Amino acid sequence: MDRVGLAAALFDEGEAERGAAAVQQALDDAARVDSTLVASRLNTLLDAARPYETAAVDEVRTRAKDLAAARPTTIAA
């Protein structure tokens, strides 16, 4: 979850490519965890990635959306 948060922070700081690279392993890890906190972090990541339109960010966005859709409804975290 911390790596997802780090990637979101990188997106927020304008470091889209670094954020996209940082989140790949985190998304692999998130796929193995069924948690509302993970779902919340995925939604934070999606919000942070929203302004960027690159192939790497689009791939991250697609993977994160798929994972978020498979998770329970988020609660305030």
Side-chain angles (χ1 to χ4, degrees), residues 39-53:
S40 176
R41 294 284 164 79
L42 290 171
N43 288 326
T44 298
L45 175 70
L46 288 167
D47 286 342
R50 186 168 287 132
Y52 302 100
E53 295 294 332

Side-chain angles (χ1 to χ4, degrees), residues 12-68:
D12 285 339
E13 293 298 318
E15 298 286 341
E17 295 304 315
R18 286 184 59 208
V23 80
Q24 291 301 332
Q25 180 64 43
L27 292 176
D28 290 343
D29 293 343
R32 294 187 288 269
V33 178
D34 190 13
S35 158
T36 55
L37 184 55
V38 168
S40 176
R41 294 284 164 79
L42 290 171
N43 288 326
T44 298
L45 175 70
L46 288 167
D47 286 342
R50 186 168 287 132
Y52 302 100
E53 295 294 332
T54 69
V57 176
D58 287 343
E59 179 184 341
V60 166
R61 189 178 293 113
T62 298
R63 288 186 68 200
K65 282 181 184 178
D66 290 346
L67 286 172

